[in-house]
Amino acid sequence: MEQKISKPARERLIRLARLLEQLEKSGKQTVSSAEIQSRTGWTSFTIRRDISMLGVRCANAAGYNVALLKKTIDSVLSLGAAEKRCCIVGLGRLGEALAGFAGFNNSSFVIAAGFDSSTNRTETLRAPFPLYSTSKMEKIIADEKIEYAILAVPESAAEQMALRLAACGIKGIVNYTAAILHLPETTAVENLSVMDALQNLSCKSLN
Amino acid sequence: MEQKISKPARERLIRLARLLEQLEKSGKQTVSSAEIQSRTGWTSFTIRRDISMLGVRCANAAGYNVALLKKTIDSVLSLGAAEKRCCIVGLGRLGEALAGFAGFNNSSFVIAAGFDSSTNRTETLRAPFPLYSTSKMEKIIADEKIEYAILAVPESAAEQMALRLAACGIKGIVNYTAAILHLPETTAVENLSVMDALQNLSCKSLN
């Protein structure tokens, strides 16, 4: 029976799934918690405890079965599951860089649309998915069954845009802006602000 | 006497400092924990507990003194302190977008250099700081007293580049790649991978 998995454990398991994918591609069949420790820096104790929360036995004397452990994490966290449709909101230089990000190609996250307030931008930028004016955002999100949004607008526009995304049922927003977003509980937020990250690092290095 | 501040509390205080800065600019002198709650979604209890860890009394009957609370957070977490010199490693589209990010202008983080393995790229790209080949990275980091790095190289090059940065004494790396970095304890890492963020969101929305 699987237990409720904490946020830090879930974040580690998501990264562990990627490590296992790399190991699987390189032909490795088993991996020990000591090897995982040397690749990630997490202690063997933490690794074993995280894996035990999956509620499935994936280990024998030689270590964890790489393919089985990957499959178990994917299944418990629904990682490899059905296609999840996303959009990019804001097609400045950051949005453009995200539009060209190769990591989406082999993932279950599909970028189905991009939005920008400038129609000049949406008409001239090339992307592997259709681009629209933000004035059509609500309609396209509904039509295209988009569930997640990557927010890369200027900070001053971030809150208003996030509220619009939440209002049309977006389940989660990756917030690249430094804006502090307070949204209804039905819309989760992951903050990826470079300023916050630098400040966290500079605090850490004081300790 | 200030207590040891946990990572989640520190992250909230960093975001609170930015909120206070916005309030200060808009002419607000006091703010209550209920108002902070309505702007951030954190509970009043959490907010009061985080602030109490700063070890300074910043409140009266009308609420927290905005300027004093901001100054206290900056001081305890050394946020507004001396200039911290950074570099961007990898000048593809993401690195280019980061190079043009306006948020650095009014912060204590100064981008002092950019690096790319392609000299064609470093010679043609325009940026508000000097660009160099990664072959000169160790020398420039020492000469320019650079302490933090923003890593925006392709995932396949991330680990090797991070190890070089750690070896030349970089205190912290903001990792935009999906690579799992295991570095000596003297180099902290903040991961800002869009794939991890999307997967965290999709797990959250299942709960």
PDB file of all heavy atoms in Angstrom, chain A residues 14-15 18 38-39 148 176 178-180 182 189-190 194 196 199-200 204-205, chain B residues 14-15 18 38-39 148 178-180 182 189-190 194 196 199-200 204-205:
ATOM      1  N   ILE A  14      11.111  12.064  -9.076  1.00  0.00           N
ATOM      2  CA  ILE A  14      11.028  12.538 -10.466  1.00  0.00           C
ATOM      3  C   ILE A  14      12.426  12.609 -11.075  1.00  0.00           C
ATOM      4  O   ILE A  14      12.654  12.190 -12.203  1.00  0.00           O
ATOM      5  CB  ILE A  14      10.310  13.910 -10.515  1.00  0.00           C
ATOM      6  CG1 ILE A  14       8.805  13.695 -10.291  1.00  0.00           C
ATOM      7  CG2 ILE A  14      10.574  14.636 -11.830  1.00  0.00           C
ATOM      8  CD1 ILE A  14       8.001  14.981 -10.116  1.00  0.00           C
ATOM      9  N   ARG A  15      13.389  13.092 -10.281  1.00  0.00           N
ATOM     10  CA  ARG A  15      14.763  13.149 -10.790  1.00  0.00           C
ATOM     11  C   ARG A  15      15.361  11.740 -10.885  1.00  0.00           C
ATOM     12  O   ARG A  15      16.101  11.437 -11.820  1.00  0.00           O
ATOM     13  CB  ARG A  15      15.633  14.063  -9.912  1.00  0.00           C
ATOM     14  CG  ARG A  15      15.184  15.522  -9.988  1.00  0.00           C
ATOM     15  CD  ARG A  15      16.062  16.460  -9.195  1.00  0.00           C
ATOM     16  NE  ARG A  15      17.313  16.785  -9.849  1.00  0.00           N
ATOM     17  CZ  ARG A  15      17.416  17.598 -10.897  1.00  0.00           C
ATOM     18  NH1 ARG A  15      16.359  18.160 -11.422  1.00  0.00           N
ATOM     19  NH2 ARG A  15      18.593  17.853 -11.416  1.00  0.00           N
ATOM     20  N   ARG A  18      14.466  10.097 -14.072  1.00  0.00           N
ATOM     21  CA  ARG A  18      15.277  10.520 -15.218  1.00  0.00           C
ATOM     22  C   ARG A  18      16.651   9.838 -15.197  1.00  0.00           C
ATOM     23  O   ARG A  18      17.174   9.414 -16.227  1.00  0.00           O
ATOM     24  CB  ARG A  18      15.438  12.032 -15.274  1.00  0.00           C
ATOM     25  CG  ARG A  18      16.203  12.421 -16.514  1.00  0.00           C
ATOM     26  CD  ARG A  18      15.975  13.817 -16.999  1.00  0.00           C
ATOM     27  NE  ARG A  18      15.903  14.718 -15.879  1.00  0.00           N
ATOM     28  CZ  ARG A  18      14.864  15.438 -15.569  1.00  0.00           C
ATOM     29  NH1 ARG A  18      13.804  15.406 -16.313  1.00  0.00           N
ATOM     30  NH2 ARG A  18      14.884  16.214 -14.523  1.00  0.00           N
ATOM     31  N   SER A  38      26.008   8.104  -5.217  1.00  0.00           N
ATOM     32  CA  SER A  38      27.185   8.734  -5.830  1.00  0.00           C
ATOM     33  C   SER A  38      26.797   9.596  -7.034  1.00  0.00           C
ATOM     34  O   SER A  38      27.513  10.517  -7.398  1.00  0.00           O
ATOM     35  CB  SER A  38      28.227   7.683  -6.214  1.00  0.00           C
ATOM     36  OG  SER A  38      27.906   7.114  -7.466  1.00  0.00           O
ATOM     37  N   ARG A  39      25.649   9.323  -7.658  1.00  0.00           N
ATOM     38  CA  ARG A  39      25.214  10.112  -8.814  1.00  0.00           C
ATOM     39  C   ARG A  39      24.387  11.332  -8.419  1.00  0.00           C
ATOM     40  O   ARG A  39      24.285  12.284  -9.188  1.00  0.00           O
ATOM     41  CB  ARG A  39      24.365   9.239  -9.767  1.00  0.00           C
ATOM     42  CG  ARG A  39      25.135   8.099 -10.420  1.00  0.00           C
ATOM     43  CD  ARG A  39      26.100   8.620 -11.481  1.00  0.00           C
ATOM     44  NE  ARG A  39      25.398   9.176 -12.609  1.00  0.00           N
ATOM     45  CZ  ARG A  39      25.165   8.537 -13.745  1.00  0.00           C
ATOM     46  NH1 ARG A  39      25.615   7.315 -13.922  1.00  0.00           N
ATOM     47  NH2 ARG A  39      24.513   9.136 -14.727  1.00  0.00           N
ATOM     48  N   TYR A 148      -1.797  22.756 -18.879  1.00  0.00           N
ATOM     49  CA  TYR A 148      -0.669  23.385 -18.196  1.00  0.00           C
ATOM     50  C   TYR A 148      -0.145  24.566 -19.010  1.00  0.00           C
ATOM     51  O   TYR A 148      -0.205  24.534 -20.231  1.00  0.00           O
ATOM     52  CB  TYR A 148       0.467  22.366 -17.971  1.00  0.00           C
ATOM     53  CG  TYR A 148       0.005  21.205 -17.122  1.00  0.00           C
ATOM     54  CD1 TYR A 148      -0.439  20.026 -17.704  1.00  0.00           C
ATOM     55  CD2 TYR A 148      -0.043  21.313 -15.742  1.00  0.00           C
ATOM     56  CE1 TYR A 148      -0.910  18.970 -16.928  1.00  0.00           C
ATOM     57  CE2 TYR A 148      -0.514  20.274 -14.953  1.00  0.00           C
ATOM     58  CZ  TYR A 148      -0.943  19.104 -15.553  1.00  0.00           C
ATOM     59  OH  TYR A 148      -1.418  18.086 -14.785  1.00  0.00           O
ATOM     60  N   TYR A 176       7.977  31.514 -14.794  1.00  0.00           N
ATOM     61  CA  TYR A 176       9.350  31.963 -15.015  1.00  0.00           C
ATOM     62  C   TYR A 176       9.553  33.404 -14.566  1.00  0.00           C
ATOM     63  O   TYR A 176      10.670  33.902 -14.572  1.00  0.00           O
ATOM     64  CB  TYR A 176       9.722  31.841 -16.495  1.00  0.00           C
ATOM     65  CG  TYR A 176      10.326  30.502 -16.857  1.00  0.00           C
ATOM     66  CD1 TYR A 176       9.561  29.498 -17.421  1.00  0.00           C
ATOM     67  CD2 TYR A 176      11.669  30.248 -16.619  1.00  0.00           C
ATOM     68  CE1 TYR A 176      10.117  28.267 -17.747  1.00  0.00           C
ATOM     69  CE2 TYR A 176      12.235  29.025 -16.945  1.00  0.00           C
ATOM     70  CZ  TYR A 176      11.462  28.048 -17.508  1.00  0.00           C
ATOM     71  OH  TYR A 176      12.021  26.835 -17.820  1.00  0.00           O
ATOM     72  N   ALA A 178       9.359  36.728 -11.863  1.00  0.00           N
ATOM     73  CA  ALA A 178       9.610  36.910 -10.436  1.00  0.00           C
ATOM     74  C   ALA A 178       8.332  37.305  -9.698  1.00  0.00           C
ATOM     75  O   ALA A 178       8.348  37.504  -8.489  1.00  0.00           O
ATOM     76  CB  ALA A 178      10.696  37.959 -10.228  1.00  0.00           C
ATOM     77  N   ALA A 179       7.203  37.413 -10.407  1.00  0.00           N
ATOM     78  CA  ALA A 179       5.948  37.827  -9.764  1.00  0.00           C
ATOM     79  C   ALA A 179       5.485  36.776  -8.754  1.00  0.00           C
ATOM     80  O   ALA A 179       5.675  35.581  -8.955  1.00  0.00           O
ATOM     81  CB  ALA A 179       4.869  38.032 -10.817  1.00  0.00           C
ATOM     82  N   ILE A 180       4.896  37.248  -7.671  1.00  0.00           N
ATOM     83  CA  ILE A 180       4.327  36.363  -6.658  1.00  0.00           C
ATOM     84  C   ILE A 180       2.882  36.112  -7.047  1.00  0.00           C
ATOM     85  O   ILE A 180       2.063  37.028  -7.060  1.00  0.00           O
ATOM     86  CB  ILE A 180       4.430  37.013  -5.273  1.00  0.00           C
ATOM     87  CG1 ILE A 180       5.901  37.199  -4.909  1.00  0.00           C
ATOM     88  CG2 ILE A 180       3.716  36.177  -4.222  1.00  0.00           C
ATOM     89  CD1 ILE A 180       6.141  38.107  -3.740  1.00  0.00           C
ATOM     90  N   HIS A 182      -0.765  34.494  -6.582  1.00  0.00           N
ATOM     91  CA  HIS A 182      -1.684  33.878  -5.636  1.00  0.00           C
ATOM     92  C   HIS A 182      -2.942  33.514  -6.399  1.00  0.00           C
ATOM     93  O   HIS A 182      -3.711  34.384  -6.803  1.00  0.00           O
ATOM     94  CB  HIS A 182      -2.003  34.830  -4.481  1.00  0.00           C
ATOM     95  CG  HIS A 182      -2.970  34.217  -3.509  1.00  0.00           C
ATOM     96  ND1 HIS A 182      -3.942  34.919  -2.874  1.00  0.00           N
ATOM     97  CD2 HIS A 182      -3.096  32.940  -3.112  1.00  0.00           C
ATOM     98  CE1 HIS A 182      -4.642  34.107  -2.104  1.00  0.00           C
ATOM     99  NE2 HIS A 182      -4.152  32.904  -2.235  1.00  0.00           N
ATOM    100  N   VAL A 189       1.195  26.186  -8.779  1.00  0.00           N
ATOM    101  CA  VAL A 189       2.258  27.010  -9.368  1.00  0.00           C
ATOM    102  C   VAL A 189       3.616  26.423  -9.007  1.00  0.00           C
ATOM    103  O   VAL A 189       3.845  26.019  -7.866  1.00  0.00           O
ATOM    104  CB  VAL A 189       2.185  28.475  -8.864  1.00  0.00           C
ATOM    105  CG1 VAL A 189       3.327  29.309  -9.450  1.00  0.00           C
ATOM    106  CG2 VAL A 189       0.847  29.106  -9.218  1.00  0.00           C
ATOM    107  N   GLU A 190       4.521  26.339  -9.978  1.00  0.00           N
ATOM    108  CA  GLU A 190       5.932  26.036  -9.720  1.00  0.00           C
ATOM    109  C   GLU A 190       6.720  27.267 -10.140  1.00  0.00           C
ATOM    110  O   GLU A 190       6.642  27.704 -11.293  1.00  0.00           O
ATOM    111  CB  GLU A 190       6.391  24.828 -10.555  1.00  0.00           C
ATOM    112  CG  GLU A 190       5.934  23.485 -10.041  1.00  0.00           C
ATOM    113  CD  GLU A 190       6.759  22.991  -8.857  1.00  0.00           C
ATOM    114  OE1 GLU A 190       7.989  23.143  -8.867  1.00  0.00           O
ATOM    115  OE2 GLU A 190       6.151  22.454  -7.920  1.00  0.00           O
ATOM    116  N   VAL A 194      14.886  33.110 -11.781  1.00  0.00           N
ATOM    117  CA  VAL A 194      16.349  33.092 -11.652  1.00  0.00           C
ATOM    118  C   VAL A 194      16.806  33.956 -10.474  1.00  0.00           C
ATOM    119  O   VAL A 194      17.779  33.618  -9.784  1.00  0.00           O
ATOM    120  CB  VAL A 194      17.044  33.513 -12.978  1.00  0.00           C
ATOM    121  CG1 VAL A 194      16.761  34.948 -13.347  1.00  0.00           C
ATOM    122  CG2 VAL A 194      18.544  33.283 -12.908  1.00  0.00           C
ATOM    123  N   ASP A 196      15.150  34.454  -7.573  1.00  0.00           N
ATOM    124  CA  ASP A 196      14.946  33.659  -6.358  1.00  0.00           C
ATOM    125  C   ASP A 196      16.027  32.593  -6.216  1.00  0.00           C
ATOM    126  O   ASP A 196      16.543  32.354  -5.126  1.00  0.00           O
ATOM    127  CB  ASP A 196      13.585  32.954  -6.409  1.00  0.00           C
ATOM    128  CG  ASP A 196      12.437  33.896  -6.087  1.00  0.00           C
ATOM    129  OD1 ASP A 196      12.696  35.103  -5.948  1.00  0.00           O
ATOM    130  OD2 ASP A 196      11.302  33.423  -5.968  1.00  0.00           O
ATOM    131  N   GLN A 199      19.237  34.149  -5.090  1.00  0.00           N
ATOM    132  CA  GLN A 199      19.181  34.557  -3.676  1.00  0.00           C
ATOM    133  C   GLN A 199      19.217  33.344  -2.757  1.00  0.00           C
ATOM    134  O   GLN A 199      19.853  33.373  -1.714  1.00  0.00           O
ATOM    135  CB  GLN A 199      17.946  35.419  -3.437  1.00  0.00           C
ATOM    136  CG  GLN A 199      18.152  36.786  -4.107  1.00  0.00           C
ATOM    137  CD  GLN A 199      17.141  37.821  -3.716  1.00  0.00           C
ATOM    138  OE1 GLN A 199      15.975  37.505  -3.513  1.00  0.00           O
ATOM    139  NE2 GLN A 199      17.565  39.052  -3.621  1.00  0.00           N
ATOM    140  N   ASN A 200      18.551  32.259  -3.153  1.00  0.00           N
ATOM    141  CA  ASN A 200      18.633  31.038  -2.355  1.00  0.00           C
ATOM    142  C   ASN A 200      20.069  30.530  -2.277  1.00  0.00           C
ATOM    143  O   ASN A 200      20.530  30.107  -1.219  1.00  0.00           O
ATOM    144  CB  ASN A 200      17.728  29.949  -2.944  1.00  0.00           C
ATOM    145  CG  ASN A 200      16.293  30.105  -2.481  1.00  0.00           C
ATOM    146  OD1 ASN A 200      16.036  30.373  -1.315  1.00  0.00           O
ATOM    147  ND2 ASN A 200      15.357  29.957  -3.394  1.00  0.00           N
ATOM    148  N   LYS A 204      22.380  30.077   1.042  1.00  0.00           N
ATOM    149  CA  LYS A 204      22.965  28.767   1.347  1.00  0.00           C
ATOM    150  C   LYS A 204      24.444  28.890   1.612  1.00  0.00           C
ATOM    151  O   LYS A 204      24.975  28.276   2.516  1.00  0.00           O
ATOM    152  CB  LYS A 204      22.803  27.826   0.155  1.00  0.00           C
ATOM    153  CG  LYS A 204      21.554  27.009   0.151  1.00  0.00           C
ATOM    154  CD  LYS A 204      21.653  26.006  -0.985  1.00  0.00           C
ATOM    155  CE  LYS A 204      20.255  25.521  -1.373  1.00  0.00           C
ATOM    156  NZ  LYS A 204      20.295  24.756  -2.632  1.00  0.00           N
ATOM    157  N   SER A 205      25.134  29.684   0.783  1.00  0.00           N
ATOM    158  CA  SER A 205      26.582  29.692   0.895  1.00  0.00           C
ATOM    159  C   SER A 205      27.038  30.464   2.139  1.00  0.00           C
ATOM    160  O   SER A 205      28.202  30.447   2.471  1.00  0.00           O
ATOM    161  CB  SER A 205      27.222  30.264  -0.382  1.00  0.00           C
ATOM    162  OG  SER A 205      26.904  31.629  -0.522  1.00  0.00           O
TER     163      SER A 205
ATOM    164  N   ILE B  14      12.390  35.253   1.123  1.00  0.00           N
ATOM    165  CA  ILE B  14      12.962  35.889  -0.079  1.00  0.00           C
ATOM    166  C   ILE B  14      11.843  36.463  -0.944  1.00  0.00           C
ATOM    167  O   ILE B  14      11.932  37.583  -1.451  1.00  0.00           O
ATOM    168  CB  ILE B  14      13.842  34.876  -0.858  1.00  0.00           C
ATOM    169  CG1 ILE B  14      15.164  34.663  -0.105  1.00  0.00           C
ATOM    170  CG2 ILE B  14      14.087  35.333  -2.287  1.00  0.00           C
ATOM    171  CD1 ILE B  14      16.023  33.540  -0.657  1.00  0.00           C
ATOM    172  N   ARG B  15      10.756  35.702  -1.080  1.00  0.00           N
ATOM    173  CA  ARG B  15       9.624  36.193  -1.877  1.00  0.00           C
ATOM    174  C   ARG B  15       8.899  37.322  -1.139  1.00  0.00           C
ATOM    175  O   ARG B  15       8.451  38.282  -1.757  1.00  0.00           O
ATOM    176  CB  ARG B  15       8.654  35.051  -2.220  1.00  0.00           C
ATOM    177  CG  ARG B  15       9.305  34.034  -3.160  1.00  0.00           C
ATOM    178  CD  ARG B  15       8.363  32.935  -3.594  1.00  0.00           C
ATOM    179  NE  ARG B  15       7.444  33.342  -4.620  1.00  0.00           N
ATOM    180  CZ  ARG B  15       7.764  33.507  -5.897  1.00  0.00           C
ATOM    181  NH1 ARG B  15       8.994  33.317  -6.296  1.00  0.00           N
ATOM    182  NH2 ARG B  15       6.860  33.872  -6.770  1.00  0.00           N
ATOM    183  N   ARG B  18      10.517  40.593  -1.732  1.00  0.00           N
ATOM    184  CA  ARG B  18      10.159  41.220  -3.004  1.00  0.00           C
ATOM    185  C   ARG B  18       8.770  41.853  -2.943  1.00  0.00           C
ATOM    186  O   ARG B  18       8.540  42.933  -3.465  1.00  0.00           O
ATOM    187  CB  ARG B  18      10.235  40.234  -4.155  1.00  0.00           C
ATOM    188  CG  ARG B  18       9.939  40.944  -5.467  1.00  0.00           C
ATOM    189  CD  ARG B  18      10.470  40.264  -6.689  1.00  0.00           C
ATOM    190  NE  ARG B  18      10.300  38.854  -6.577  1.00  0.00           N
ATOM    191  CZ  ARG B  18      11.279  37.982  -6.595  1.00  0.00           C
ATOM    192  NH1 ARG B  18      12.486  38.402  -6.743  1.00  0.00           N
ATOM    193  NH2 ARG B  18      11.042  36.722  -6.471  1.00  0.00           N
ATOM    194  N   SER B  38      -3.364  37.265   1.763  1.00  0.00           N
ATOM    195  CA  SER B  38      -4.197  37.406   0.567  1.00  0.00           C
ATOM    196  C   SER B  38      -3.341  37.609  -0.688  1.00  0.00           C
ATOM    197  O   SER B  38      -3.778  37.315  -1.796  1.00  0.00           O
ATOM    198  CB  SER B  38      -5.206  38.543   0.732  1.00  0.00           C
ATOM    199  OG  SER B  38      -4.586  39.765   0.441  1.00  0.00           O
ATOM    200  N   ARG B  39      -2.099  38.098  -0.524  1.00  0.00           N
ATOM    201  CA  ARG B  39      -1.231  38.296  -1.685  1.00  0.00           C
ATOM    202  C   ARG B  39      -0.416  37.056  -2.044  1.00  0.00           C
ATOM    203  O   ARG B  39       0.047  36.913  -3.170  1.00  0.00           O
ATOM    204  CB  ARG B  39      -0.257  39.466  -1.423  1.00  0.00           C
ATOM    205  CG  ARG B  39      -0.927  40.820  -1.294  1.00  0.00           C
ATOM    206  CD  ARG B  39      -1.415  41.333  -2.636  1.00  0.00           C
ATOM    207  NE  ARG B  39      -0.315  41.628  -3.542  1.00  0.00           N
ATOM    208  CZ  ARG B  39       0.174  42.856  -3.727  1.00  0.00           C
ATOM    209  NH1 ARG B  39      -0.343  43.898  -3.111  1.00  0.00           N
ATOM    210  NH2 ARG B  39       1.167  43.048  -4.560  1.00  0.00           N
ATOM    211  N   TYR B 148      29.023  32.965  -8.644  1.00  0.00           N
ATOM    212  CA  TYR B 148      27.830  32.190  -8.999  1.00  0.00           C
ATOM    213  C   TYR B 148      27.757  32.011 -10.505  1.00  0.00           C
ATOM    214  O   TYR B 148      28.188  32.888 -11.261  1.00  0.00           O
ATOM    215  CB  TYR B 148      26.565  32.901  -8.490  1.00  0.00           C
ATOM    216  CG  TYR B 148      26.574  33.069  -6.993  1.00  0.00           C
ATOM    217  CD1 TYR B 148      27.019  34.249  -6.401  1.00  0.00           C
ATOM    218  CD2 TYR B 148      26.198  32.013  -6.169  1.00  0.00           C
ATOM    219  CE1 TYR B 148      27.083  34.383  -5.025  1.00  0.00           C
ATOM    220  CE2 TYR B 148      26.258  32.134  -4.789  1.00  0.00           C
ATOM    221  CZ  TYR B 148      26.702  33.327  -4.223  1.00  0.00           C
ATOM    222  OH  TYR B 148      26.761  33.436  -2.866  1.00  0.00           O
ATOM    223  N   ALA B 178      18.212  19.754 -17.458  1.00  0.00           N
ATOM    224  CA  ALA B 178      17.550  18.660 -16.746  1.00  0.00           C
ATOM    225  C   ALA B 178      18.571  17.692 -16.158  1.00  0.00           C
ATOM    226  O   ALA B 178      18.198  16.700 -15.540  1.00  0.00           O
ATOM    227  CB  ALA B 178      16.600  17.933 -17.700  1.00  0.00           C
ATOM    228  N   ALA B 179      19.876  17.976 -16.321  1.00  0.00           N
ATOM    229  CA  ALA B 179      20.907  17.070 -15.811  1.00  0.00           C
ATOM    230  C   ALA B 179      20.884  17.026 -14.285  1.00  0.00           C
ATOM    231  O   ALA B 179      20.616  18.028 -13.632  1.00  0.00           O
ATOM    232  CB  ALA B 179      22.285  17.523 -16.287  1.00  0.00           C
ATOM    233  N   ILE B 180      21.164  15.852 -13.733  1.00  0.00           N
ATOM    234  CA  ILE B 180      21.263  15.686 -12.283  1.00  0.00           C
ATOM    235  C   ILE B 180      22.715  15.950 -11.913  1.00  0.00           C
ATOM    236  O   ILE B 180      23.615  15.208 -12.308  1.00  0.00           O
ATOM    237  CB  ILE B 180      20.839  14.262 -11.881  1.00  0.00           C
ATOM    238  CG1 ILE B 180      19.367  14.070 -12.252  1.00  0.00           C
ATOM    239  CG2 ILE B 180      21.073  14.021 -10.405  1.00  0.00           C
ATOM    240  CD1 ILE B 180      18.898  12.638 -12.217  1.00  0.00           C
ATOM    241  N   HIS B 182      25.779  16.255  -9.337  1.00  0.00           N
ATOM    242  CA  HIS B 182      26.290  15.897  -8.016  1.00  0.00           C
ATOM    243  C   HIS B 182      27.656  16.532  -7.862  1.00  0.00           C
ATOM    244  O   HIS B 182      28.620  16.117  -8.492  1.00  0.00           O
ATOM    245  CB  HIS B 182      26.369  14.380  -7.862  1.00  0.00           C
ATOM    246  CG  HIS B 182      26.885  13.992  -6.513  1.00  0.00           C
ATOM    247  ND1 HIS B 182      27.699  12.921  -6.300  1.00  0.00           N
ATOM    248  CD2 HIS B 182      26.710  14.581  -5.302  1.00  0.00           C
ATOM    249  CE1 HIS B 182      28.001  12.856  -5.009  1.00  0.00           C
ATOM    250  NE2 HIS B 182      27.420  13.850  -4.387  1.00  0.00           N
ATOM    251  N   VAL B 189      23.526  23.886  -5.529  1.00  0.00           N
ATOM    252  CA  VAL B 189      22.816  23.862  -6.813  1.00  0.00           C
ATOM    253  C   VAL B 189      21.345  24.194  -6.593  1.00  0.00           C
ATOM    254  O   VAL B 189      20.734  23.707  -5.641  1.00  0.00           O
ATOM    255  CB  VAL B 189      22.927  22.472  -7.497  1.00  0.00           C
ATOM    256  CG1 VAL B 189      22.137  22.439  -8.808  1.00  0.00           C
ATOM    257  CG2 VAL B 189      24.377  22.092  -7.753  1.00  0.00           C
ATOM    258  N   GLU B 190      20.789  25.056  -7.437  1.00  0.00           N
ATOM    259  CA  GLU B 190      19.337  25.267  -7.499  1.00  0.00           C
ATOM    260  C   GLU B 190      18.886  24.811  -8.880  1.00  0.00           C
ATOM    261  O   GLU B 190      19.375  25.314  -9.892  1.00  0.00           O
ATOM    262  CB  GLU B 190      18.996  26.757  -7.329  1.00  0.00           C
ATOM    263  CG  GLU B 190      19.084  27.271  -5.914  1.00  0.00           C
ATOM    264  CD  GLU B 190      17.876  26.880  -5.063  1.00  0.00           C
ATOM    265  OE1 GLU B 190      16.739  26.936  -5.559  1.00  0.00           O
ATOM    266  OE2 GLU B 190      18.091  26.510  -3.890  1.00  0.00           O
ATOM    267  N   VAL B 194      12.497  22.965 -16.581  1.00  0.00           N
ATOM    268  CA  VAL B 194      11.083  23.090 -16.937  1.00  0.00           C
ATOM    269  C   VAL B 194      10.396  21.721 -16.929  1.00  0.00           C
ATOM    270  O   VAL B 194       9.235  21.610 -16.550  1.00  0.00           O
ATOM    271  CB  VAL B 194      10.900  23.819 -18.286  1.00  0.00           C
ATOM    272  CG1 VAL B 194      11.461  23.034 -19.457  1.00  0.00           C
ATOM    273  CG2 VAL B 194       9.441  24.127 -18.552  1.00  0.00           C
ATOM    274  N   ASP B 196      11.105  19.112 -14.922  1.00  0.00           N
ATOM    275  CA  ASP B 196      10.819  18.784 -13.525  1.00  0.00           C
ATOM    276  C   ASP B 196       9.624  19.575 -13.024  1.00  0.00           C
ATOM    277  O   ASP B 196       8.765  19.045 -12.311  1.00  0.00           O
ATOM    278  CB  ASP B 196      12.028  19.124 -12.631  1.00  0.00           C
ATOM    279  CG  ASP B 196      13.124  18.082 -12.733  1.00  0.00           C
ATOM    280  OD1 ASP B 196      12.994  17.164 -13.567  1.00  0.00           O
ATOM    281  OD2 ASP B 196      14.106  18.187 -11.990  1.00  0.00           O
ATOM    282  N   GLN B 199       6.439  18.122 -14.385  1.00  0.00           N
ATOM    283  CA  GLN B 199       6.109  16.843 -13.751  1.00  0.00           C
ATOM    284  C   GLN B 199       5.626  17.046 -12.320  1.00  0.00           C
ATOM    285  O   GLN B 199       4.703  16.371 -11.867  1.00  0.00           O
ATOM    286  CB  GLN B 199       7.306  15.903 -13.827  1.00  0.00           C
ATOM    287  CG  GLN B 199       7.509  15.464 -15.281  1.00  0.00           C
ATOM    288  CD  GLN B 199       8.465  14.321 -15.443  1.00  0.00           C
ATOM    289  OE1 GLN B 199       9.457  14.237 -14.739  1.00  0.00           O
ATOM    290  NE2 GLN B 199       8.194  13.447 -16.393  1.00  0.00           N
ATOM    291  N   ASN B 200       6.236  17.993 -11.604  1.00  0.00           N
ATOM    292  CA  ASN B 200       5.748  18.297 -10.254  1.00  0.00           C
ATOM    293  C   ASN B 200       4.308  18.793 -10.300  1.00  0.00           C
ATOM    294  O   ASN B 200       3.487  18.411  -9.464  1.00  0.00           O
ATOM    295  CB  ASN B 200       6.635  19.345  -9.581  1.00  0.00           C
ATOM    296  CG  ASN B 200       7.866  18.723  -8.957  1.00  0.00           C
ATOM    297  OD1 ASN B 200       7.780  17.678  -8.317  1.00  0.00           O
ATOM    298  ND2 ASN B 200       9.014  19.328  -9.156  1.00  0.00           N
ATOM    299  N   LYS B 204       1.047  17.089  -8.567  1.00  0.00           N
ATOM    300  CA  LYS B 204       0.225  17.869  -7.630  1.00  0.00           C
ATOM    301  C   LYS B 204      -1.235  17.791  -8.004  1.00  0.00           C
ATOM    302  O   LYS B 204      -2.103  17.649  -7.155  1.00  0.00           O
ATOM    303  CB  LYS B 204       0.629  19.341  -7.685  1.00  0.00           C
ATOM    304  CG  LYS B 204       1.687  19.737  -6.698  1.00  0.00           C
ATOM    305  CD  LYS B 204       1.848  21.251  -6.742  1.00  0.00           C
ATOM    306  CE  LYS B 204       3.218  21.663  -6.266  1.00  0.00           C
ATOM    307  NZ  LYS B 204       3.489  23.077  -6.495  1.00  0.00           N
ATOM    308  N   SER B 205      -1.517  17.914  -9.308  1.00  0.00           N
ATOM    309  CA  SER B 205      -2.915  18.006  -9.704  1.00  0.00           C
ATOM    310  C   SER B 205      -3.618  16.667  -9.588  1.00  0.00           C
ATOM    311  O   SER B 205      -4.833  16.585  -9.711  1.00  0.00           O
ATOM    312  CB  SER B 205      -3.044  18.592 -11.116  1.00  0.00           C
ATOM    313  OG  SER B 205      -2.492  17.720 -12.068  1.00  0.00           O
TER     314      SER B 205
END
